[in-house]
Amino acid sequence: MAQALETTSIVMSSHVIYRQINKDYAFWIEKRRFGQRQGGNVCGLLTHVQDDAIRANILFDCGLGTLQGLADLCDEVGEAAVWDHPLTVFITHGHIDHHAELMLLSEIYCQRRGGDYIHNIRPPLTVYCTVETQDHLYNTHRWGYTGGRTLTHCLLTPGQTIPVGPIAVHPVAVDHCPGAVIFAITLGAGGAHKVLIGWDLRSPPLDPVQLAQIRHPSLALIEGATWTPMATLTGHAGIQLLAESGFLDSLEIEFDPHNQRYGAYLVHYSGWEDPEGALSDGDMERRFHRTYPHLASVVRVAQRLQAWRFDF
Ligand SMILES: [Zn+2]
Ligand SMILES: [Zn+2]
């Protein structure tokens, strides 16, 4: 009896690492002008670790460059950490820069990483997305959902939280394209931390109901496709509008890394549509800090493969 009590009183230690696998909208052609030779479309990986063992990986979006990004991550953490644990995929919306490599990913995960016997493949990879997004995914990756049996769809409804172990993925509908969502991800039973995946916004989500779901994040990844507001051309609000509409202030972002509050990071930057042309990451960050000094301590530009840790 004493032994049983001892066993049940063990405190499980959990943490999550979020990694920004890729952080750009523009791909190599545009970024080569700044000497950037690696990268791709926005994509993030959340890894849940409990008692020193990986319990789950959750991938957010899977556009062009994802597999290269995961290969680069393998160099850091080893192949098994990326490929040999339960994997779930969430897709924000149907634009191709957010899912181009989905079926390549599922082929590798299910087939190449399956067992030794030719028919011993893993079950299909679960992909959560809205019904509108699924139209795009099915049309693009049809083989994976049919004869290939490497992909399966799970319906995502804005406002309805999906639990993945102790991680709760909460989709919030946004103005971008039909069926587009962003994710407010809470970690741990008490919701000790919140990671906001907030890329691809045509207009800032300023509605009080939206804000209530996404405010006060421990880490926010926010789109800034261009500096200038040019939503009718690009479908993206642009950095100026996100700052000047009060949206970034409304998020109530904090930068206190000792308490694992990491502020906001700009991702999904293209810049080639901007009348003044694209800026390097460093120039963009300096311009942002010069133009919006009251946000300088909390908003930065994300780096490829940058990682943040959350204990709970
Ligand atoms: Zn988009
Ligand atoms: Zn996009």
Side-chain angles (χ1 to χ4, degrees):
M1 187 63 191
Q3 200 176 5
L5 276 175
E6 219 169 65
T7 311
T8 51
S9 66
I10 289 171
V11 177
M12 306 285 249
S13 84
S14 266
H15 72 266
V16 153
I17 306 278
Y18 174 79
R19 289 187 177 87
Q20 193 63 43
I21 301 297
N22 281 317
K23 49 96 182 169
D24 292 323
Y25 163 61
F27 203 48
W28 292 301
I29 296 168
E30 296 88 344
K31 297 289 174 172
R32 270 203 308 251
R33 290 183 223 156
F34 306 111
Q36 185 180 321
R37 298 195 175 273
Q38 286 182 307
N41 299 141
V42 278
C43 165
L45 186 72
L46 203 69
T47 300
H48 173 221
V49 181
Q50 193 174 54
D51 296 332
D52 296 327
I54 294 174
R55 302 298 165 141
N57 281 314
I58 309 175
L59 189 72
F60 295 91
D61 286 350
C62 192
L64 202 57
T66 299
L67 292 171
Q68 188 203 28
L70 292 175
D72 291 343
L73 178 60
C74 286
D75 291 343
E76 258 180 48
V77 300
E79 267 198 30
V82 175
W83 292 107
D84 290 343
H85 299 281
L87 177 65
T88 308
V89 180
F90 285 78
I91 302 288
T92 54
H93 65 291
H95 289 158
I96 193 69
D97 57 314
H98 296 265
H99 64 84
E101 292 186 357
L102 181 62
M103 199 186 78
L104 301 177
L105 175 92
S106 67
E107 283 283 314
I108 293 169
Y109 186 79
C110 298
Q111 306 258 20
R112 191 189 297 173
R113 306 297 294 188
D116 296 333
Y117 184 59
I118 192 165
H119 295 302
N120 191 8
I121 72 165
R122 287 176 174 166
L125 196 57
T126 300
V127 181
Y128 285 94
C129 67
T130 60
V131 69
E132 296 90 343
T133 300
Q134 178 58 13
D135 274 351
H136 294 275
L137 300 193
Y138 186 79
N139 285 331
T140 313
H141 310 285
R142 184 182 304 247
W143 169 251
Y145 289 100
T146 56
R149 290 180 287 114
T150 61
L151 290 167
T152 188
H153 174 230
C154 263
L155 183 67
L156 196 71
T157 306
Q160 292 186 10
T161 303
I162 307 287
V164 184
I167 297 160
V169 183
H170 184 77
V172 180
V174 288
D175 170 30
H176 181 60
C177 66
V181 295
I182 59 175
F183 296 113
I185 305 151
T186 49
L187 313 173
H193 290 286
K194 185 193 280 183
V195 176
L196 176 63
I197 292 187
W199 51 68
D200 286 44
L201 305 163
R202 191 197 332 249
S203 60
L206 287 165
D207 179 278
V209 177
Q210 286 170 310
L211 278 175
Q213 298 168 81
I214 62 179
R215 69 154 51 99
H216 215 227
S218 307
L219 169 69
L221 294 313
I222 305 289
E223 80 135 56
T226 55
W227 178 270
T228 317
M230 42 201 330
T232 44
L233 178 72
T234 65
H236 295 273
I239 293 163
Q240 269 187 331
L241 186 61
L242 294 174
E244 291 173 21
S245 64
F247 169 65
L248 293 175
D249 295 299
S250 304
L251 279 183
E252 299 172 17
I253 312 160
E254 279 179 79
F255 185 73
D256 180 10
H258 291 298
N259 289 311
Q260 301 186 328
R261 306 196 70 81
Y262 301 108
Y265 283 80
L266 297 171
V267 294
H268 202 282
Y269 179 65
S270 156
W272 69 264
E273 303 95 334
D274 267 311
E276 304 149 40
L279 299 167
S280 69
D281 289 345
D283 285 345
M284 223 257 279
E285 193 169 87
R286 280 186 283 279
R287 184 178 189 178
F288 187 93
H289 292 171
R290 208 171 47 239
T291 314
Y292 307 111
H294 73 290
L295 290 165
S297 63
V298 292
V299 179
R300 292 169 177 76
V301 174
Q303 296 305 301
R304 183 168 181 263
L305 291 174
Q306 191 167 356
W308 298 268
R309 176 178 168 132
F310 304 94
D311 293 275
F312 56 91

